[in-house]
Amino acid sequence: MDGVLVANELVDYSNREGKECLLFKVEFEKAYDKVSWNFLRYMMRRMGFGIRWMRWMESLVFTSNMSVLVNGSPTKEFGVERGLRQGDRISRFLFVVVAEGLKVLVGKAVENGDFMSCNVNGNFFIDILQFVDDTLLVGNGSWNHLWAIKAVLRGFELVSGLGINYHKSKLIGININPHFLEETTSFLSCRTEAKEFNFLSGSNPRRISSWRPLLENIKRRLNSWKGRWLSFGGRITLLKPILSSLAIFTLSFYKAPKKIIKEINKMQSNFLWGGFGGDQESLLGASNALWFRMLKARYADVKLCAAAGVKNFVKKSSRSVWWSDILALGKKLPEEFFAKSCKFRVGLGYSISFWHARWLDEGIIKDIFSDLFALSLLQDASIGGMGGWIDDVWHWGDLDILNPTVTGSTTDVNRLMLLLPAPVHSPGSTDTTSWLHTGDGIFSVSSCYKVL
């Protein structure tokens, strides 16, 4: 899902900002069958796998023998020097180790200035996304970049044993000149996609038409079993993998219109009870991970903003449809739920709201001194912006209260000043958050669910 999120946001950002972006979906030829064992050994050594682990791999992976059946009789066994066993649970992890070699090659090409990454808001750069044997190369539309793609892929082919199936590989250009895109497909011997790849938003997911391909796919799969003699249990068993493989992945990321959910349920119910085919699914999923850095680059530090009770920190026209749907979920939560469930540990204090965030043991200042907050001219100020350092000593500044002579205001100001400590401050210190509903202060989905 990390890769899906980053790719979706990148495409949406490029479309909205008019940025040039070229995406190349790489298809490997019989990926698992062609992995070079020598290269796999090399990569594991470079990645720091120990001697004992390497011995295990020699026993489990690198000692295969095969024979061929000729007229029903096996030939003499011969050794194998490449390939990973399909279905072996460890094969997927070993393939990831091999694929890491491609990531390193791309990184070197970026370092040399040959491979041109795409950037988001000038501070987040993306060049390759990988998930097992799914690989997406990302960059700008230039001939230097295309030559870099070809050189990197050819080099990877030679060292890893993996061949690139260019005819099945796909290319998509965002704000790329159509004539250049046509020449690019010829240069790479690949094909272009009229719509974005399956895991990107080909169109607005709020439109019914965007979901038609999924509905047709489910209908086709279920229809192929229509009329067969299946027991009730057999139909349930058949529905589970179809729903799992076709719908759950999409529903895990996009919010489907109610009409689409009803249509999927209707097809499955008809199949289950009569011949052609659950419950409604709602599977939207809740660091320094790639997806977090992408969201931070586009929409600011969302974790700090949510914990501080800050809303609409990016204008609506600049948000992707997916992100707008995520924000819409918060409308059904109790008022400032996250802000009241988090406590800040103050570093420099510039990312923490003085009034809205919970950083005092006594609670949120806005709630404790509601009358004072209503008179403040600095309602959106950060902690760091409410004072300053003089000779390494912190001094709180004027709270900038409107009409301070209002009855009770002076008393409230004095009470508040007595509560305010000097922020914890050291060079380079950062503001952090602590989740109040777990013992260790680390957020978990289960604890949030229980509280709600």
Side-chain angles (χ1 to χ4, degrees):
M1 297 306 298
D2 291 12
V4 176
L5 187 153
V6 174
N8 179 82
E9 290 295 317
L10 180 63
V11 170
D12 183 86
Y13 172 79
S14 299
N15 279 322
R16 290 178 186 270
E17 300 297 326
K19 299 287 186 179
E20 193 177 86
C21 184
L22 190 71
L23 301 99
F24 186 56
K25 172 77 163 53
V26 180
E27 290 287 339
F28 293 108
E29 286 182 341
K30 299 181 179 179
Y32 281 73
D33 296 337
K34 293 191 174 184
V35 171
S36 167
W37 287 355
N38 286 334
F39 182 70
L40 179 54
R41 288 189 183 97
Y42 168 80
M43 285 300 300
M44 286 196 289
R45 285 196 295 267
R46 288 296 302 268
M47 293 177 73
F49 286 92
I51 296 176
R52 177 179 294 183
W53 176 271
M54 296 300 293
R55 287 175 179 167
W56 288 343
M57 292 302 100
E58 290 293 340
S59 299
L60 293 173
V61 179
F62 303 136
T63 56
S64 297
N65 291 315
M66 298 180 65
S67 63
V68 179
L69 287 176
V70 179
N71 295 329
S73 300
T75 64
K76 184 179 179 180
E77 288 190 347
F78 55 90
V80 181
E81 297 181 357
R82 64 177 62 243
L84 298 173
R85 296 183 182 92
Q86 293 281 358
D88 191 333
R89 294 184 180 183
I90 202 171
S91 293
R92 294 172 66 84
F93 296 100
L94 294 177
F95 192 89
V96 170
V97 173
V98 173
E100 188 70 13
L102 178 58
K103 183 178 179 181
V104 173
L105 285 174
V106 170
K108 190 67 176 177
V110 171
E111 183 182 323
N112 293 339
D114 299 320
F115 197 104
M116 306 299 178
S117 306
C118 281
N119 75 79
V120 177
N121 287 333
N123 58 11
F124 176 78
F125 295 86
I126 186 72
D127 42 58
I128 183 171
L129 292 170
Q130 288 179 295
F131 180 77
V132 193
D133 57 345
D134 284 332
T135 299
L136 187 65
L137 300 179
V138 182
N140 67 9
S142 68
W143 281 108
N144 287 340
H145 179 65
L146 292 178
W147 278 107
I149 289 178
K150 207 159 192 177
V152 166
L153 292 179
R154 182 55 181 156
F156 186 65
E157 281 183 311
L158 292 173
V159 297
S160 69
L162 293 174
I164 310 298
N165 189 334
Y166 286 96
H167 294 292
K168 286 188 176 181
S169 298
K170 303 172 185 176
L171 189 73
I172 182 171
I174 310 295
N175 299 314
I176 301 290
N177 184 290
H179 298 294
F180 176 79
L181 197 61
E182 186 177 347
E183 292 180 1
T184 300
T185 57
S186 177
F187 178 75
L188 294 175
S189 300
C190 64
R191 57 194 176 95
T192 56
E193 279 283 298
K195 298 180 180 179
E196 283 80 349
F197 306 133
N198 291 334
F199 49 81
L200 301 181
S201 60
S203 54
N204 192 334
R206 294 175 183 172
R207 296 174 182 166
I208 301 299
S209 58
S210 300
W211 294 84
R212 288 302 171 193
L214 175 63
L215 296 179
E216 290 299 322
N217 202 4
I218 294 176
K219 184 176 180 179
R220 184 171 60 254
R221 290 285 296 276
L222 293 177
N223 204 25
S224 65
W225 288 87
K226 185 178 180 181
R228 304 197 182 188
W229 294 98
L230 294 175
S231 65
F232 186 79
R235 290 197 293 272
I236 292 178
T237 302
L238 188 63
L239 280 174
K240 286 182 178 180
I242 290 178
L243 176 62
S244 177
S245 62
L246 299 181
I248 284 186
F249 182 79
T250 308
L251 294 175
S252 296
F253 191 73
Y254 293 118
K255 178 183 176 182
K258 291 182 179 179
K259 183 175 181 180
I260 297 300
I261 296 294
K262 290 180 180 179
E263 187 68 24
I264 293 175
N265 288 337
K266 181 180 179 181
M267 287 192 294
Q268 293 173 341
S269 296
N270 289 341
F271 179 82
L272 179 63
W273 297 104
F276 173 63
D279 297 326
Q280 181 168 331
E281 301 292 334
S282 180
L283 303 176
L284 286 175
S287 95
N288 197 34
L290 185 65
W291 65 268
F292 181 84
R293 288 186 282 130
M294 164 60 89
L295 294 182
K296 185 176 179 180
R298 284 205 72 182
Y299 310 116
D301 194 326
V302 293
K303 180 175 66 174
L304 291 177
C305 290
V310 178
K311 298 180 179 179
N312 301 325
F313 36 85
V314 173
K315 59 183 180 180
K316 193 170 183 179
S317 60
S318 297
R319 303 178 204 155
S320 67
V321 172
W322 175 81
W323 183 241
S324 295
D325 286 339
I326 291 294
L327 292 181
L329 295 175
K331 294 178 180 179
K332 298 180 180 179
L333 296 178
E335 182 68 21
E336 295 182 341
F337 167 75
F338 281 103
K340 293 180 180 179
S341 298
C342 296
K343 182 181 177 182
F344 278 92
R345 297 187 180 97
V346 182
L348 293 176
Y350 291 106
S351 62
I352 305 175
S353 171
F354 177 86
W355 293 99
H356 299 273
R358 182 180 184 131
W359 59 281
L360 293 177
D361 291 334
E362 290 77 9
I364 298 174
I365 296 179
K366 184 192 73 172
D367 296 339
I368 302 173
F369 298 94
S370 56
D371 293 338
L372 204 59
F373 172 74
L375 297 172
S376 174
L377 298 176
L378 299 174
Q379 293 184 352
D380 296 323
S382 66
I383 295 174
M386 294 291 278
W389 293 89
I390 302 176
D391 297 329
D392 295 329
V393 178
W394 177 264
H395 294 273
W396 289 104
D398 189 352
L399 298 180
D400 216 348
I401 302 300
L402 179 68
N403 194 8
T405 59
V406 173
T407 304
S409 294
T410 303
T411 303
D412 284 345
V413 169
N414 293 334
R415 286 176 53 217
L416 175 56
M417 296 304 293
L418 289 174
L419 285 178
L420 298 179
V424 179
H425 179 275
S426 60
S429 61
T430 57
D431 302 320
T432 58
T433 55
S434 177
W435 182 248
L436 297 179
H437 303 299
T438 54
D440 56 8
I442 298 176
F443 175 83
S444 70
V445 174
S446 60
S447 66
C448 183
Y449 183 84
K450 289 178 182 177
V451 173
L452 291 175

